[in-house]
């Protein structure tokens, strides 16, 4: 079992609709959770982070965390063509000490105009 | 704040040659990370530094790989006797660490160095 699992996609969503990206993780000791966006050939760019159960909203983006189910998701409202990218879910086990990120393989999202 | 800088952006080398990459972190960040990313995969952790101390190395980091951060500022990653399997994007990230607070301990990535081993 991979430590962080994501559906690789591609996920196609019409422009203006809601895109829903999901991620599960295996390490119950994971403390913090991150969503990075990566355009083809570019480096990862942080979109959202969350470390408490529940929802966290930032503009068109909402991150949802359920530690009991070991599940984290990212919702993108009013999807735009510029949202087309690969979305990487990353988890961090420790809040102190080793703060390495463990990434999933990413979900490729395509917004259809 | 100029962001994380990596050099070179691209490196083509022949199998068996040595290569060295450089990373300059965001100036006030004391933590520096190296990751490797191959096509269709997420970044994989290689090693990280707190100031000049290398605190952890992944099993992925074979004896041919060495990383340094001599003065706690920039870092270098050297690969000796390169193999075709070393072809990947090498990403550097930096963060302020937990002293900045949980919500601010974010890793920011550089543009990466793409290595092609022929």
């Amino acid at each position: 079992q991979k430590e962080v699992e994501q559906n690789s996609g591609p996920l196609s969503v019409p422009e203006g609709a809601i895109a829903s990206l999901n991620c599960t993780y295996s390490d119950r000791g994971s403390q913090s959770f991150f969503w990075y966006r990566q355009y083809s050939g570019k480096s990862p760019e942080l979109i959202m982070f969350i470390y408490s159960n529940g929802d966290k909203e930032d503009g068109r983006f909402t991150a949802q965390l359920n530690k009991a189910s070991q599940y984290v998701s990212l919702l993108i409202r009013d999807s735009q063509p510029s949202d087309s990218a690969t979305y990487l879910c990353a988890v961090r086990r420790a809040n102190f000490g080793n703060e390495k990120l463990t990434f999933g393989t990413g979900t490729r999202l395509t917004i259809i105009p | 704040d100029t962001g994380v800088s990596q050099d070179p952006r691209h490196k083509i080398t022949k199998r068996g040659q040595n290569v060295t990459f450089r990373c300059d972190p965001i100036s006030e960040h004391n933590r520096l990370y190296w990751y490797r990313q191959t096509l269709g995969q997420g970044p994989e952790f290689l090693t990280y530094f707190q100031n000049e101390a290398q605190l952890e190395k992944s099993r992925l980091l074979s004896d041919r790989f060495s990383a340094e951060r001599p003065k706690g500022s920039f870092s270098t990653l050297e690969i000796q006797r390169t193999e075709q399997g070393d072809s990947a994007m090498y990403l550097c990230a930096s963060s302020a660490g937990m002293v900045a607070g949980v919500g601010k301990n974010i890793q920011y990535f550089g543009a990466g160095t793409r290595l092609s081993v022929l």
Side-chain angles (χ1 to χ4, degrees), chain A residues 2 8 32 34 36 38 41-46 49 51 56 88 92 94-106, chain B residues 9 31 33 35 37 40-45 48 56 89 91 95 97-98 102-112 114:
Chain A
K2 291 183 179 179
S8 61
S32 302
F34 304 83
Y36 283 84
Q38 188 173 32
K42 303 296 184 182
S43 61
E45 172 193 11
L46 182 73
F49 67 90
Y51 48 87
K56 179 181 179 182
L88 297 163
R92 183 173 69 201
N95 281 334
F96 295 93
N98 187 354
E99 297 151 16
K100 72 177 183 182
L101 297 177
T102 302
F103 285 85
T105 56
Chain B
R9 294 291 307 279
R31 280 156 169 79
Y33 305 79
Y35 293 84
Q37 186 176 25
Q41 301 297 312
E44 295 176 294
F45 170 78
Y48 97 106
E56 183 169 341
M89 174 78 85
L91 293 163
S95 75
M98 285 308 299
V102 172
K104 294 184 179 180
N105 186 17
I106 302 298
Q107 291 185 26
Y108 295 93
F109 284 83
R114 183 169 296 283

Side-chain angles (χ1 to χ4, degrees), chain B residues 8 17 44 52 56 83 85 90 92-94 96 98 115:
Chain B
Q17 298 295 306
E44 295 176 294
E52 66 276 11
E56 183 169 341
E83 302 173 356
Y90 289 83
C92 176
S94 70
M98 285 308 299
L115 173 66

Side-chain angles (χ1 to χ4, degrees), chain A:
Chain A
Q1 181 186 11
K2 291 183 179 179
E3 291 186 61
V4 180
E5 296 211 43
Q6 298 181 253
N7 186 324
S8 61
L11 175 65
S12 296
V13 173
E15 183 175 358
I18 296 175
S20 178
L21 305 165
N22 304 316
C23 173
T24 58
Y25 59 95
S26 61
D27 185 354
R28 286 195 173 274
S30 299
Q31 297 287 332
S32 302
F33 306 86
F34 304 83
W35 284 99
Y36 283 84
R37 178 176 63 198
Q38 188 173 32
Y39 293 113
S40 180
K42 303 296 184 182
S43 61
E45 172 193 11
L46 182 73
I47 298 296
M48 293 280 292
F49 67 90
I50 187 168
Y51 48 87
S52 299
N53 276 328
D55 295 359
K56 179 181 179 182
E57 185 174 321
D58 183 2
R60 297 187 296 112
F61 300 94
T62 299
Q64 300 174 317
L65 174 61
N66 184 325
K67 288 186 177 180
S69 300
Q70 296 174 247
Y71 175 90
V72 59
S73 66
L74 179 70
L75 301 178
I76 307 175
R77 290 181 298 281
D78 187 24
S79 297
Q80 303 296 311
S82 60
D83 294 326
S84 297
T86 294
Y87 288 80
L88 297 163
C89 173
V91 306
R92 183 173 69 201
R93 190 178 200 283
N95 281 334
F96 295 93
N98 187 354
E99 297 151 16
K100 72 177 183 182
L101 297 177
T102 302
F103 285 85
T105 56
T107 297
R108 187 154 52 96
L109 174 66
T110 300
I111 305 301
I112 304 168

